[in-house]
Amino acid sequence: MMVMVMVGEGVGFQDLPEGCIANVVSLTTPRDACSLALVSSTFRSAAESDSVWDRFLPSDYNDIVSQSTSSSCRSKKQLYLSLCENPILVDDGKKSFQLDKAYGKKCYMLSPRMLFIVWGDTPRYWKWTPLPEARFSEVAELVSVCWLEIRGWINTHMLSPDTLYGAYLVFKPSSAGAYGFEYQSIEVSIAVAGVETHKRAVFLDPERGKRLRYQIVPRRVGIFNRTRMVAAAGPPQPPRDNLDDQYPKDRKDGWLEMELGQFFSEGGEDKEVEMGVYEIKGGDWKGGLLVQGIEVRPKQCVHANNTI
């Protein structure tokens, strides 16, 4: 954002009162504020002031932060950066909250306990496992099912207005390895206020895309359709335009994520967003996944792990 300030002849911008400079800086972005802090000591004092960073924080940040005991910062800038880099648990540990670092947009992750999982309370099919590297106290471990159905909900009033959001299933294979996802596509969908806006088929097997590119031929063996890889045939194939969108992507925290779809948070009227993951038609048995949750974050902003 470019901010133009008219000053009198012979008066430089740096000669303005610090409060005036702070007011101008607060109309930019967090990234701009960090850049302007390098101009001079006066700019640094103004750009790092609480009045500036209070404008970058969500208007309801006090209510959100009060739900967590892990956030204690001396300044609003420190609080902002802490919320970007260290997600806090809210709603009795059922959700996590953080900020997009570039623009201060809200990001949430719904824990597995916040999700509707068919047969989720039946140990034969799913079990709940503590995991040190997980964000929540436990993750949902898929043991073996022939009917996979996971759904989650979030209301738009919790999110930043005028923002395009994406929803992502965050998961990874268990230590024993996943099976049953090599051939079977998974249906993912987004519905806003009961109206389905996005629906498509994806694959939760991250290796499938590599096999398609390099023509590695998998074969099913055993009653659970486990896969054995056989020799590759032919040279590597060029990437397909939409191939990456169908397969999970690596995250910096060591997990995988699969985009379920996107929706626009307008602000004003509160709407319920339903996010779904389904495989209920094939009937094949599948298992070996650890589900950490569903993350909802801005799509048109730099991800919170990036550096200002």
Side-chain angles (χ1 to χ4, degrees), residues 28-80:
T28 63
T29 67
R31 178 173 293 167
D32 292 333
C34 290
S35 298
L36 290 169
L38 303 176
V39 173
S40 69
S41 59
T42 302
F43 269 69
R44 181 167 58 254
S45 179
E48 294 184 351
S49 65
D50 280 353
S51 62
V52 168
W53 289 88
D54 188 68
R55 293 282 295 270
F56 297 149
L57 289 162
S59 59
D60 58 347
Y61 76 89
N62 273 319
D63 293 335
I64 298 172
V65 171
S66 66
Q67 300 179 51
S68 173
T69 59
S70 60
S71 181
S72 177
C73 301
R74 295 191 301 271
S75 70
K76 297 291 178 65
K77 180 181 179 180
Q78 286 184 343
L79 175 61
Y80 182 96

Side-chain angles (χ1 to χ4, degrees), residues 3-267:
V3 179
M4 299 185 65
V5 178
M6 301 298 294
V7 295
E9 185 177 352
V11 179
F13 191 24
Q14 68 273 11
D15 297 323
L16 293 172
E18 183 179 310
C20 181
I21 297 175
N23 188 55
V24 172
V25 174
S26 71
L27 299 176
T28 63
T29 67
R31 178 173 293 167
D32 292 333
C34 290
S35 298
L36 290 169
L38 303 176
V39 173
S40 69
S41 59
T42 302
F43 269 69
R44 181 167 58 254
S45 179
E48 294 184 351
S49 65
D50 280 353
S51 62
V52 168
W53 289 88
D54 188 68
R55 293 282 295 270
F56 297 149
L57 289 162
S59 59
D60 58 347
Y61 76 89
N62 273 319
D63 293 335
I64 298 172
V65 171
S66 66
Q67 300 179 51
S68 173
T69 59
S70 60
S71 181
S72 177
C73 301
R74 295 191 301 271
S75 70
K76 297 291 178 65
K77 180 181 179 180
Q78 286 184 343
L79 175 61
Y80 182 96
L81 296 177
S82 177
L83 290 175
C84 293
E85 297 165 358
N86 305 294
I88 61 173
L89 297 182
V90 297
D91 196 7
D92 297 324
K94 297 176 182 177
K95 302 186 188 80
S96 73
F97 171 82
Q98 67 184 125
L99 295 178
D100 169 85
K101 199 168 188 178
Y103 299 99
K105 302 287 189 177
K106 296 178 180 178
C107 312
Y108 280 96
M109 185 184 291
L110 308 181
S111 74
R113 288 294 187 185
M114 286 290 294
L115 306 177
F116 171 77
I117 302 176
V118 170
W119 294 334
D121 292 324
T122 306
R124 176 183 175 185
Y125 305 116
W126 289 86
K127 63 182 181 180
W128 296 88
T129 306
L131 209 62
E133 65 267 28
R135 187 172 298 187
F136 304 103
S137 60
E138 56 186 356
V139 300
E141 181 174 353
L142 172 58
V143 179
S144 187
V145 296
C146 61
W147 181 295
L148 177 66
E149 182 176 350
I150 302 173
R151 286 185 283 162
W153 296 265
I154 194 167
N155 289 83
T156 56
H157 81 270
M158 298 173 56
L159 305 173
S160 299
D162 301 320
T163 303
L164 181 65
Y165 274 90
Y168 305 83
L169 179 71
V170 181
F171 69 100
K172 65 180 178 180
S174 67
S175 58
Y179 66 88
F181 297 98
E182 302 90 344
Y183 305 93
Q184 184 63 61
S185 63
I186 306 296
E187 185 178 281
V188 297
S189 64
I190 295 285
V192 180
V195 179
E196 193 169 68
T197 58
H198 286 272
K199 185 177 182 179
R200 65 193 183 105
V202 300
F203 292 87
L204 297 187
D205 178 11
E207 300 301 318
R208 180 181 169 87
K210 298 177 184 177
R211 292 198 296 269
L212 290 177
R213 286 190 178 95
Y214 292 94
Q215 295 185 334
I216 300 174
V217 182
R219 292 180 180 172
R220 299 186 182 189
V221 294
I223 61 172
F224 290 117
N225 298 329
R226 296 183 185 272
T227 299
R228 175 180 300 158
M229 308 307 298
V230 298
Q237 299 299 306
R240 303 178 188 179
D241 292 339
N242 63 344
L243 195 59
D244 288 341
D245 293 338
Q246 292 182 284
Y247 301 99
K249 292 180 172 59
D250 293 323
R251 293 167 53 96
K252 292 183 179 180
D253 58 10
W255 292 76
L256 298 169
E257 66 179 27
M258 184 69 241
E259 183 175 344
L260 309 182
Q262 63 186 34
F263 61 93
F264 190 74
S265 174
E266 298 177 355

